[in-house]
Amino acid sequence: MTDTPRWFQTTAIDYPNSRPHIGTAFEKLGADVQARYRRMEGYDVFFLMGNDENTVKVSKRASELGQEPQAYCDDMARQFREVWDALDISYDTFVQTSHERHKQCARAFIQKVHDAGYIYKGSYEGWYCDGCESFKTEKELEGGNCPIHKRPVIRRSEPCHFFKLSAFSDRLLAYYDENPDFIQPESRRNEIISLIKNDGLLDVNITRRGEAWGISVPFDPEFTIWVWFDALLTYITGIGYGDDRATFDKYWPADTHFIGKDITRFHCALWPAMLWAAGEQPPKKVFGHGFVNFEGKIGKSRTEELKARGLDYLLEPMEIVRRFSAEAFRYYFLRECPYPGDGDFSPDRFMEVYNSELANNLGNLFSREMTITWKSFGGVFDGTTGTIPESVVPGLDLATFVADVRGHVEACRYNLALQAIVQDFLTPTNQYLEKNAPWKLVKTDKAAAKRVLFNAVQSLRVASILLKPFIPRSAETIYTSFNFPTPWAEVKYADAAVLKALPEDLRITAELLDGKPPPLFPRIG
RNA sequence: GGCGGGGUAGCUCAGAGGUUAGAGCAGUCGCUUCAUAAGCGACGGGUCGCCGGUUCAAUUCCGGCCCCCGCUACCA
């Protein structure tokens, strides 16, 4: 019996006090590509997402709207999932931290950390605003005043429970040292290391007092669990921590936590320490992706400007999907924004990338190959059973090329993976057609023309396999337009690395209208 | 302030001590018509942020300066 490798990954869980935007979507997309790729490669994948609901902001937002916090959270969760579904994000579970199961498991965890002696009672002193009824950080203050109520804050201390984060400094540094890939990309890793080395880690207050909304602390019910301590636990409560040890043991430790670069500290320092304190293993990798700006920056004036230009719909993911497609949305961000770094979204660029690469390059290549094949050969390559296709890209070693793309995908360099597929493979295929002109050749040497098309169709097969994690629907449409022997659900990257003979004559299996397929990516603009 | 990253063609970026500094996109001009007015080919003379230094030679090495960005503990 063979052991299927498993792959457990998560995205950050989102605050549901506003709808998801293109930035939050960017994170899910990058994670989704990885999940889809790993599934293709035979991993037993579990992909966890969720919403972070036990925060004061959420209960405030709910009361502003005259709703109960729970009803508000459930509705927002529905809205988030609607967006993720529209974008074809292939998550396996969606955790809401306000749900009882999560709360029970979180309590079990904090109790364990407490029993292990890593939580102690103390008092937190800070700047308190009476209006907000909450503490303010130094950074938030504006000349000693509360930024919301514009009046002085007061020094106040109140009892709380601390987590002994400081006890884990050396162990964390050792872990980073022994696991150089733990924090990706490297720039984030360097930041965290220098942070711990230079400033050290302080114990952290992990409770809040007198909040009605949140998870009560089992050993001191007057308190609730601070949102971050609670939120991070989603990653384990979602796979059975606390009530399903078998499932938990199957998937933990996580292979990758996909997060925004701004919250690496919580994931790279606090989170492993929490797990150690509870006797569990730390995650294997944390990937801090970049941000997406809108035409350089985003701001209120920008929103107004976009409205004036009639483009404000581009701020709403659902609208982009509705007007174009999920595939167009996915492709733009994955192609144009480097996942490890920051990217930019602009309407002009969106159309350029879409038209140039999806419509003109890939879509048109598909279209022209289908049409000539249909016109000249009735969609069937007679007598090609057992024929091994020839390479159409001069100087390209297919196995090496696929290995390069694979390397980019595994390192989350999605933009480079797509760049390679388009520039090093699809464009040369168009050049091959141009050079051999089967539409002319068919008049003089039909067999030769057939051979050229037969070879070129292999590029569609290879490209669709490589593109499967990125644009799953279009890739499937391309692949299943022919009778390639391996079922779509079973294709692997390795299948793209070789040109093999077919067990039967290659032919078009797609439904055509007037000998043409409907445009895969209709041009826009 | 400290630590880190960066300033290269209109845009996004790659690059390396040394013949004419590269790619994609956009733009211009041809060819073509199988195809989604798609495809293919040609055309880029850009002080490689500024000022010095090392060197036979620097955009690539060193120093200084200017500008941008990230982190600097509880905000996505």
Side-chain angles (χ1 to χ4, degrees):
Chain A
M1 171 179 162
T2 52
D3 223 7
T4 354
R6 41 111 252 178
W7 180 267
F8 175 47
Q9 66 169 53
T10 70
T11 62
I13 58 173
D14 300 304
Y15 276 165
N17 43 7
S18 63
R19 279 178 59 73
H21 49 74
I22 55 177
T24 41
F26 180 52
E27 171 175 301
K28 315 310 175 199
L29 283 180
D32 185 59
V33 172
Q34 197 61 224
R36 288 176 181 275
Y37 167 75
R38 298 288 168 176
R39 284 194 199 97
M40 275 178 82
E41 296 307 290
Y43 288 79
D44 175 355
V45 171
F46 197 83
F47 179 8
L48 180 151
M49 300 196 353
N51 276 0
D52 183 9
E53 302 168 325
N54 299 318
T55 156
V56 187
K57 283 180 183 172
V58 166
S59 64
K60 276 186 181 164
R61 181 77 188 127
S63 69
E64 279 169 28
L65 297 169
Q67 294 181 19
E68 287 301 313
Q70 191 63 61
Y72 173 79
C73 287
D74 290 345
D75 186 57
M76 288 306 288
R78 182 191 58 75
Q79 291 187 41
F80 271 72
R81 296 178 70 159
E82 184 180 61
V83 174
W84 306 147
D85 290 341
L87 288 170
D88 289 322
I89 306 299
S90 61
Y91 58 91
D92 294 296
T93 192
F94 191 92
V95 178
Q96 288 184 244
T97 62
S98 66
H99 284 184
E100 200 50 42
R101 229 208 101 248
H102 171 79
K103 291 184 175 181
Q104 291 298 347
C105 298
R107 286 193 190 99
F109 183 93
I110 198 172
Q111 183 68 52
K112 192 152 188 194
V113 174
H114 184 256
D115 294 347
Y118 288 108
I119 292 174
Y120 63 93
K121 195 156 187 179
S123 69
Y124 177 81
E125 184 178 323
W127 299 105
Y128 187 85
C129 171
D130 282 326
C132 297
E133 295 182 39
S134 68
F135 287 97
K136 299 288 162 186
T137 63
E138 294 275 348
K139 275 197 297 186
E140 285 178 297
L141 300 181
E142 291 171 357
N145 288 336
C146 167
I148 297 164
H149 295 86
K150 311 292 181 198
R151 54 174 145 154
V153 290
I154 53 170
R155 200 70 190 166
R156 173 165 164 175
S157 76
E158 68 173 39
C160 68
H161 293 273
F162 282 100
F163 170 62
K164 285 188 189 174
L165 179 59
S166 61
F168 295 94
S169 295
D170 293 340
R171 194 165 173 187
L172 283 165
L173 288 171
Y175 188 67
Y176 304 155
D177 193 50
E178 290 156 15
N179 302 278
D181 294 334
F182 172 58
I183 308 172
Q184 292 288 314
E186 207 174 308
S187 51
R188 302 268 93 83
R189 168 186 154 87
N190 295 339
E191 282 176 6
I192 296 294
I193 291 176
S194 74
L195 172 73
I196 297 180
K197 282 190 175 164
N198 298 336
D199 301 351
L201 293 168
L202 298 178
D203 291 345
V204 47
N205 170 12
I206 56 161
T207 58
R208 293 295 183 266
R209 195 170 67 154
E211 301 287 351
W213 181 248
I215 305 177
S216 62
V217 174
F219 47 84
D220 199 344
E222 157 185 24
F223 293 88
T224 52
I225 303 175
W226 170 54
V227 292
W228 264 109
F229 200 92
D230 152 23
L232 290 162
L233 295 175
T234 304
Y235 302 142
I236 58 173
T237 66
I239 52 168
Y241 181 88
D243 63 3
D244 181 358
R245 190 72 203 185
T247 304
F248 176 74
D249 284 340
K250 177 180 173 190
Y251 288 111
W252 194 257
D255 291 279
T256 301
H257 291 309
F258 291 98
I259 58 162
K261 63 182 182 179
D262 54 331
I263 55 174
T264 45
R265 191 176 51 222
F266 297 105
H267 288 76
C268 297
L270 176 62
W271 181 222
M274 284 167 60
L275 288 158
W276 279 324
E280 304 295 347
Q281 291 181 272
K284 292 181 193 165
K285 184 179 286 189
V286 173
F287 192 99
H289 65 76
F291 286 166
V292 175
N293 292 317
F294 199 106
E295 290 184 328
K297 276 288 169 192
I298 195 156
K300 287 201 174 83
S301 57
R302 176 73 66 190
T303 308
E304 289 307 311
E305 181 203 320
L306 286 169
K307 272 185 190 167
R309 290 159 61 193
L311 295 171
D312 51 312
Y313 69 87
L314 291 172
L315 293 169
E316 169 57 58
M318 288 297 273
E319 270 302 294
I320 301 179
V321 171
R322 195 178 66 75
R323 296 198 186 211
F324 307 107
S325 64
E327 304 284 279
F329 188 109
R330 293 173 65 99
Y331 191 84
Y332 178 83
F333 288 101
L334 294 166
R335 170 69 179 94
E336 192 63 12
C337 304
Y339 203 58
D342 291 348
D344 192 57
F345 181 69
S346 88
D348 291 344
R349 190 72 187 140
F350 178 79
M351 289 182 196
E352 278 176 13
V353 170
Y354 176 93
N355 283 333
S356 163
E357 299 193 352
L358 287 181
N360 298 351
N361 200 327
L362 175 61
N364 185 55
L365 175 66
F366 172 69
S367 192
R368 67 197 304 206
E369 286 193 19
M370 294 286 280
T371 309
I372 321 170
T373 302
W374 187 261
K375 276 190 183 173
S376 304
F377 301 98
V380 182
F381 293 95
D382 279 327
T384 52
T385 302
T387 307
I388 298 174
E390 296 158 14
S391 170
V392 303
V393 185
L396 181 99
D397 180 71
L398 195 56
T400 305
F401 169 69
V402 170
D404 288 347
V405 173
R406 185 197 294 279
H408 288 317
V409 172
E410 291 185 356
C412 304
R413 295 185 298 258
Y414 304 128
N415 60 321
L416 296 183
L418 291 171
Q419 181 182 56
I421 294 168
V422 171
Q423 290 180 18
D424 302 337
F425 196 71
L426 293 175
T427 292
T429 300
N430 270 313
Q431 290 166 337
Y432 171 82
L433 285 179
E434 209 66 35
K435 188 178 167 199
N436 294 287
W439 50 91
K440 280 184 186 165
L441 195 56
V442 72
K443 296 168 188 165
T444 56
D445 186 345
K446 201 162 179 182
K450 188 197 288 181
R451 184 78 207 200
V452 167
L453 283 171
F454 174 74
N455 293 335
V457 164
Q458 285 296 318
S459 288
L460 292 176
R461 184 186 66 86
V462 169
S464 64
I465 293 172
L466 296 179
L467 289 168
K468 187 178 177 184
F470 298 92
I471 44 173
R473 289 171 188 263
S474 310
E476 178 173 10
T477 299
I478 294 170
Y479 188 90
T480 58
S481 290
F482 299 91
N483 61 332
F484 297 125
T486 307
W488 179 240
E490 292 170 22
V491 295
K492 295 179 175 341
Y493 262 36
D495 295 319
V498 287
L499 298 175
K500 278 184 301 214
L502 276 70
E504 57 183 7
D505 287 350
L506 179 68
R507 62 187 163 81
I508 293 174
T509 53
E511 299 266 339
L512 301 182
L513 272 178
D514 296 329
K516 293 184 176 200
L520 211 47
F521 304 102
R523 279 179 60 86
I524 58 176

